[in-house]
Amino acid sequence: MSAVLDVLWEDRDVRFDISPQQMKMRPGEVLIDCLESIEDTKGNNGDRGRLLVTNLRIIWRSLSLPRVNLSVGYNCIINITTRTANSKLRGQTEALYILTKCNNTRFEFIFTNVVPGSPRLFTSVIAVHRAYETSKMYRDLKLRSALIQNKQLRLLPQEQIYDKINGVWNLSSDQGNLGTFFITNVRIVWHANMNDSFNVSIPYLQIRSIKIRDSKFGLALVIESSQQSGGYVLGFKIDPVEKLQEAVKEINSLHRVYSVNPIFGVDYEMEEKPQPLEDLTVEQVQDDVEIESDEQTDAFVQHDREPVFSEELGLAIEKLKDGFTLQGLWEVMT
């Protein structure tokens, strides 16, 4: 079983000056909004940039120096508020304050919209973050949650049940617990028949491996979760063996499909669709410009020469440089 999904970092990390490769959308990541003229007021005050809002993170990059950028995963965000900030581009103005925590280090970010009168900076980021927070069942391993209602799995939006297996033993205790297995397009769910609240929901996103192993109860389905989710090892007994083998084959197949195009569950759409990220990423090219010298333009440079009387104009003027005439200067002006 490939552990490719273990490398998901976009929503769980704060990174600075990331490479163009890390800025690209990973499979399942969607660009929701693109905001122009946004200033990173705390880190790069006075620097106009672009803010990208995806379903996993926000990315800010400087327009003048694209290698100056940052990526903030929603899972790191502790709090989002709006307060007054002092911007070099806008002065005293309302800004978006984002407090984050990553690897026991706290970071505060302040973003200001340089264009006045647009609340989109606040509405987009706050709304998408809320959608992320309310869809954690897609991404996090959950124990003893409100998963079952009237012996049926409470489906998430975009979720479909592919199989339901009765008579599945959870081997977490010495005697085991008899329950029911649900296999869907986003996760595996087991619950005890005698107590619905004794359950586990394992998203494919957090599955490290799925194998058949020998146990004191005989052959069992063993699911190992990612280190990110706690590194659980969960055992389930399904009889007969043929049924166990079919279940493992089905779960592995669904896991592979999910790995290609993960469903992260953050459901939010803007009225106006943003341009694809590829269209917004422009390589910096050196301007191929030659500056030609024009001797006549020297006439406009300050020379601080002594004034002389011009009979032609009837007033005092600065003494002209050798080779220049009043007629020539008028021709330049017109």
Side-chain angles (χ1 to χ4, degrees):
M1 169 67 64
S2 169
V4 64
L5 291 176
D6 267 359
V7 300
L8 175 70
W9 61 269
E10 285 82 353
D11 65 330
R12 295 168 191 269
D13 209 351
V14 173
R15 296 190 180 185
F16 299 89
D17 302 335
I18 60 176
S19 66
Q21 186 64 32
Q22 291 178 322
M23 199 169 288
K24 286 183 180 177
M25 304 290 105
R26 65 170 291 121
E29 187 175 14
V30 179
L31 181 62
I32 295 173
D33 199 5
C34 175
L35 298 159
E36 303 290 342
S37 300
I38 303 297
E39 177 192 68
D40 173 18
T41 305
K42 185 159 188 176
N44 297 279
N45 202 334
D47 195 356
R48 193 182 295 254
R50 174 181 288 137
L51 191 76
L52 307 175
V53 182
T54 84
N55 55 337
L56 297 177
R57 56 180 169 159
I58 56 175
I59 303 167
W60 181 87
R61 61 181 299 191
S62 165
L63 291 178
S64 60
L65 207 59
R67 65 180 173 80
V68 175
N69 59 65
L70 54 92
S71 172
V72 181
Y74 296 134
N75 202 60
C76 301
I77 293 177
I78 300 171
N79 190 33
I80 301 181
T81 55
T82 55
R83 299 208 306 264
T84 301
N86 191 17
S87 160
K88 285 184 179 178
L89 298 176
R90 281 283 309 276
Q92 287 286 112
T93 184
E94 192 174 27
L96 188 70
Y97 278 69
I98 300 178
L99 181 63
T100 68
K101 186 177 181 181
C102 181
N103 298 324
N104 295 319
T105 303
R106 289 183 178 237
F107 301 97
E108 185 184 54
F109 301 96
I110 305 171
F111 296 107
T112 304
N113 197 334
V114 177
V115 180
S118 174
R120 233 173 81 195
L121 168 62
F122 312 116
T123 55
S124 286
V125 176
I126 291 172
V128 176
H129 176 250
R130 188 182 297 120
Y132 176 89
E133 285 291 297
T134 55
S135 58
K136 288 194 172 183
M137 199 70 78
Y138 283 91
R139 303 177 302 275
D140 295 350
L141 188 149
K142 296 286 186 181
L143 300 168
R144 299 179 180 272
S145 297
L147 303 175
I148 308 299
Q149 188 171 28
N150 300 325
K151 300 298 179 183
Q152 295 300 316
L153 177 64
R154 297 172 65 180
L155 288 175
L156 303 170
Q158 306 177 60
E159 185 175 27
Q160 297 174 318
I161 294 177
Y162 278 81
D163 203 357
K164 178 183 177 182
I165 306 174
N166 296 309
V168 178
W169 291 87
N170 183 324
L171 308 180
S172 59
S173 62
D174 288 339
Q175 75 277 12
N177 285 285
L178 186 62
T180 304
F181 223 37
F182 292 93
I183 301 172
T184 83
N185 59 327
V186 295
R187 58 180 173 161
I188 300 164
V189 174
W190 178 90
H191 74 89
N193 290 343
M194 298 297 290
N195 181 4
D196 290 349
S197 63
F198 185 54
N199 58 53
V200 59
S201 171
I202 317 161
Y204 294 129
L205 185 63
Q206 300 300 345
I207 292 179
R208 186 177 184 83
S209 68
I210 300 169
K211 297 175 181 175
I212 295 176
R213 288 186 189 166
D214 203 3
S215 72
K216 65 179 180 180
F217 297 97
L219 290 178
L221 163 62
V222 177
I223 300 175
E224 185 182 351
S225 78
S226 65
Q227 289 302 312
Q228 204 174 65
S229 66
Y232 291 97
V233 178
L234 305 165
F236 302 94
K237 182 164 177 57
I238 302 174
D239 289 323
V241 174
E242 292 77 21
K243 198 171 183 180
L244 169 64
Q245 291 170 336
E246 285 175 14
V248 171
K249 186 178 178 181
E250 183 175 30
I251 294 168
N252 275 325
S253 175
L254 287 167
H255 186 276
R256 280 193 296 270
V257 171
Y258 182 90
S259 299
V260 173
N261 189 23
I263 301 171
F264 294 118
V266 183
D267 193 15
Y268 185 85
E269 284 190 14
M270 297 293 298
E271 290 182 7
E272 293 181 22
K273 293 280 187 182
Q275 289 177 267
L277 184 60
E278 291 73 19
D279 296 349
L280 298 169
T281 307
V282 180
E283 289 187 17
Q284 284 191 308
V285 181
Q286 289 290 336
D287 290 335
D288 187 17
V289 176
E290 282 188 26
I291 300 175
E292 295 183 1
S293 62
D294 184 351
E295 288 187 0
Q296 280 195 307
T297 57
D298 287 349
F300 295 103
V301 177
Q302 182 77 23
H303 293 291
D304 295 325
R305 288 186 294 275
E306 61 183 84
V308 296
F309 182 76
S310 168
E311 293 185 1
E312 192 176 341
L313 296 175
L315 47 80
I317 63 170
E318 213 178 63
K319 186 178 180 181
L320 294 178
K321 196 176 179 183
D322 291 343
F324 289 92
T325 65
L326 282 175
Q327 183 63 33
L329 291 178
W330 282 116
E331 286 173 2
V332 170
M333 292 291 290
T334 56

